[in-house]
Amino acid sequence: MNILIVDDDPLWLFNLRTRMPSSAKVLECRSFAAAKRLLENHHFDLALIDLDIEGRLDGLELVQMANDLGLYSVILTSHEEDEVIGEGYKRGAKDFINKPLSDEALTKVLNRFQTFQNQSNQFSAISKRFITEDEDTKEILRKLG
């Protein structure tokens, strides 16, 4: 599993990195520009993205970019405003974690990611096994996945 962690606070980066599964390959960065470069040049399965990078809500653009690349993206935020979190979901975030981070919250997010990944793998196997050109059938298969 390849994980990207984006946060401009080095303490949060350290905190998150040390809590990731030992089998994961973790890359981290502290700026919007660095995150954008990493997303463009590396393959990730999971991205944990702070919304307030460098004091702005640039993380929303990174969430959109991660979504466009097919990543499971998780918002890291100290904002509890529904509209900020809602905007993250509109841009493709699959989950969010409020700061300060609890072990329980991170475990739940990682479990949901694993479930999502397993479902995606099952759908991929189904779509390769059953070939159809019928759009209605394809839609049913997508819903099942």
Side-chain angles (χ1 to χ4, degrees):
M1 168 180 8
N2 297 316
I3 301 173
L4 173 64
I5 304 173
V6 182
D7 199 309
D8 57 355
D9 183 336
L11 189 56
W12 272 107
L13 285 174
F14 175 79
N15 186 3
L16 283 164
R17 181 176 13 96
T18 58
R19 294 178 176 192
M20 292 297 113
S22 60
S23 61
K25 179 181 176 190
V26 179
L27 292 179
E28 58 190 53
C29 61
R30 296 176 51 191
S31 72
F32 175 83
K36 192 173 175 184
R37 275 192 307 276
L38 285 172
L39 285 168
E40 290 170 344
N41 297 308
H42 295 280
H43 166 75
F44 296 100
D45 303 299
L46 173 64
L48 301 164
I49 302 170
D50 181 30
L51 292 183
D52 277 330
I53 301 170
E54 301 167 4
R56 301 181 305 273
L57 289 176
D58 284 342
L60 288 171
E61 188 175 333
L62 293 174
V63 167
Q64 179 73 55
M65 187 176 180
N67 182 59
D68 293 345
L69 294 168
L71 276 69
Y72 188 96
S73 59
V74 177
I75 296 169
L76 303 173
T77 185
S78 55
H79 289 280
E80 294 193 24
E81 298 91 15
D82 290 339
E83 62 272 0
V84 174
I85 294 170
E87 183 62 28
Y89 278 116
K90 285 179 189 174
R91 294 185 184 218
K94 305 288 190 268
D95 216 331
F96 80 98
I97 299 175
N98 276 327
K99 293 179 179 181
L101 176 72
S102 71
D103 286 335
E104 182 181 348
L106 182 60
T107 298
K108 286 180 180 179
V109 165
L110 291 174
N111 286 339
R112 286 190 292 261
F113 162 71
Q114 192 64 48
T115 299
F116 175 83
Q117 196 170 41
N118 290 342
Q119 289 173 343
S120 295
N121 290 341
Q122 289 172 353
F123 178 73
S124 178
I126 288 171
S127 65
K128 289 176 184 171
R129 198 165 150 209
F130 300 104
I131 300 172
T132 182
E133 295 301 318
D134 181 67
E135 291 303 318
D136 292 334
T137 303
K138 285 180 184 179
E139 182 61 28
I140 290 169
L141 289 173
R142 277 192 285 279
K143 286 179 182 178
L144 290 173

